[in-house]
Each structure stands twice: as structure tokens, then as C-alpha cells.
């Protein structure tokens, strides 16, 4: 079962920052937070992951609270192509043997 | 570097038939995981193959089976198809049985419709 809670939908104006929240209150010490997104009719695409420190890459930033019970994915300048379902997943990189638990994710709609 | 490729892209089968879906993993990856995604749901883990052996399985019945070949490509076989097997089947590859620093690389999936 998914260990995360996300809002079912959000929207954002093009060019503005999109901030997608995720609650993972039962996360354990060796579990990472991963974010994937799925554009309609495609496979999920990896975005970013982190353990306890904030992370940034060319796609997004990930802010993890100090207690690690929640996180926020930030798309700094959303474009229409960022419209997708965004999944927040917690995963132990070792013992889960490749098992990612996807919930229903957040449908982000970016409007012009 | 090629990504994950799946074939066929779409398939229609009749209830009770058998189906084989194929996946070629990303170059350099030796682990393949399969997921089932019903309409409006997130992907659900079916199983993973690492070094040609099943390396973890989700809550799916034995009529879902798989193979991994020496070149790390993989097949998903489903016997005695049921209407509820209609879904998008996704293949994801990685290296070493765990997530790489770039997570898992997913293919675009095979859309299976059972009528």
C-alpha cells in the first residue's frame, strides 16, 4: 500500500511556481522520498529523490521537512508540458526489491 | 543510450486467452520490474526480475508469470485472461536490483484490452 498522501488535484498558472505537497508521516529512517510524474498515456518519469536534505536538479526542487514527515516538490516555472499526474513515493532503495508503491498521485494542470 | 522499449503498444484479447508482453531494458540495466496500471489508478507492482530470477512479487495470482533473458530483456505472460486484466502494463528497468541515482526508467507501456 502507498505510504503517502497527496491532494488529488492542483492547478497552476504557466510561468508560476507549482508547489506539490506530500505527507509521509510513517516514513522510516532508511526510506527515501521519490517523485515521479506521468504524462497522459506515457510511463512514469523520474523527477527527483531525497533522504533528508533538500535537493535540486534541472527539473525541480525537493524540500523535506526536518522531521521527514512531509515534503514539497517545487517546479519553479511551470509550463503547459508540466501538466501530468505527480506521484510521491517512499522507498527503501535496498530491501523493497524494486517495489514502488504508487498512490493515485496529484493531477497538476498548468493553464495558460 | 536507448530507453526502455515495450511491445506491442496496444493489444486486444478475448477472455480466457493468454498474452505475452515484451520489454527491452535500458542499456546497462540488468533488472526489470513489471507494473499494472488500471484506468485512474497508480501503477501496481507485479514482480521484478534480477539476473534472470524472480526477485520480488506483488499481490498478483500465479497466472501472471515472467521471464528474463540473458540480455536482460523480459516477458510478462498472463494466462486465462479476465476482463479485469484490462490495463496499461508498464516495464521499468534499473541496475543492481535497486533504484539507481536516477530512479527507475519506465517504458511507455502496453495497453491491454480484454473483451
Amino acid at each position: 500500500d502507498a505510504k503517502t498522501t497527496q491532494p488529488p488535484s492542483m492547478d497552476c498558472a504557466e510561468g508560476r511556481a507549482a508547489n506539490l505537497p506530500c505527507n509521509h508521516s510513517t516514513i522510516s529512517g532508511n526510506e527515501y522520498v521519490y517523485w515521479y510524474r506521468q504524462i497522459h498515456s506515457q510511463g512514469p518519469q523520474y523527477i527527483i529523490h531525497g533522504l533528508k536534505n533538500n535537493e535540486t536538479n534541472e527539473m525541480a526542487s525537493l524540500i523535506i521537512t526536518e522531521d521527514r514527515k512531509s515534503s514539497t516538490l517545487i517546479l519553479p516555472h511551470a509550463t503547459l508540458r508540466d501538466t501530468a499526474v505527480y506521484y510521491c513515493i517512499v522507498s527503501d532503495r535496498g530491501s523493497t526489491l524494486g517495489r514502488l508503491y504508487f498512490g493515485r498521485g496529484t493531477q497538476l494542470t498548468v493553464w495558460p | 543510450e536507448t530507453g526502455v522499449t515495450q511491445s506491442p503498444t496496444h493489444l486486444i484479447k478475448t477472455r480466457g486467452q493468454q498474452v505475452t508482453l515484451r520489454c527491452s531494458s535500458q542499456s546497462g540495466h540488468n533488472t526489470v520490474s513489471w507494473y499494472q496500471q488500471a484506468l485512474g489508478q497508480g501503477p501496481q507492482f507485479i514482480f521484478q526480475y534480477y539476473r534472470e530470477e524472480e526477485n520480488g512479487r506483488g499481490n498478483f495470482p500465479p497466472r501472471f508469470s515472467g521471464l528474463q533473458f540473458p540480455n536482460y530483456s523480459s516477458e510478462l505472460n498472463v494466462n486465462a485472461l479476465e476482463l479485469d486484466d484490462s490495463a496499461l502494463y508498464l516495464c521499468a528497468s534499473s541496475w543492481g536490483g535497486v533504484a539507481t541515482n536516477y530512479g527507475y526508467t519506465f517504458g511507455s507501456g502496453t495497453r491491454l484490452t480484454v473483451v
Side-chain angles (χ1 to χ4, degrees), chain B residues 54-68:
Chain B
E54 190 178 291
N55 192 36
R57 189 178 183 94
N59 189 26
F60 282 81
R63 58 190 186 83
F64 286 78
S65 63
L67 282 173
Q68 187 180 32

Side-chain angles (χ1 to χ4, degrees), chain A residues 5-58:
Chain A
T5 304
Q6 299 177 254
S9 64
M10 296 183 65
D11 57 35
C12 174
E14 189 175 21
R16 306 295 289 266
N19 297 292
L20 291 87
C22 179
N23 288 322
H24 31 79
S25 58
T26 61
I27 190 170
S28 59
N30 59 349
E31 288 183 316
Y32 288 72
V33 179
Y34 284 86
W35 283 84
Y36 284 78
R37 73 180 182 183
Q38 188 172 25
I39 296 169
H40 183 63
S41 298
Q42 297 182 21
Q45 176 192 24
Y46 167 84
I47 301 173
I48 198 168
H49 76 282
L51 184 61
K52 56 177 93 170
N53 297 322
N54 298 337
E55 302 288 344
T56 296
N57 64 19
E58 66 278 4

Side-chain angles (χ1 to χ4, degrees), chain B residues 4-8 11 18-25 30-35 46-50 52-57 62-79 89-93 110:
Chain B
V4 175
T5 57
Q6 294 187 241
S7 61
L11 200 53
Q18 179 265 341
V19 68
T20 297
L21 310 180
R22 294 179 174 82
C23 171
S24 293
S25 58
N30 60 7
T31 305
V32 172
S33 303
W34 285 92
Y35 289 79
I46 303 175
F47 43 55
Q48 182 190 68
Y49 278 82
Y50 173 55
E52 302 178 54
E53 293 194 1
E54 190 178 291
N55 192 36
R57 189 178 183 94
R63 58 190 186 83
F64 286 78
S65 63
L67 282 173
Q68 187 180 32
F69 300 99
N71 66 354
Y72 305 128
S73 65
S74 177
E75 288 182 353
L76 165 64
N77 299 291
V78 187
N79 293 322
Y89 288 84
L90 295 160
C91 171
S93 75
T110 294

Side-chain angles (χ1 to χ4, degrees), chain A residues 60-73:
Chain A
S61 294
L62 173 61
I63 309 297
I64 303 174
T65 58
E66 192 169 343
D67 63 8
R68 302 210 321 126
K69 292 185 177 182
S70 65
S71 60
T72 301
L73 178 74

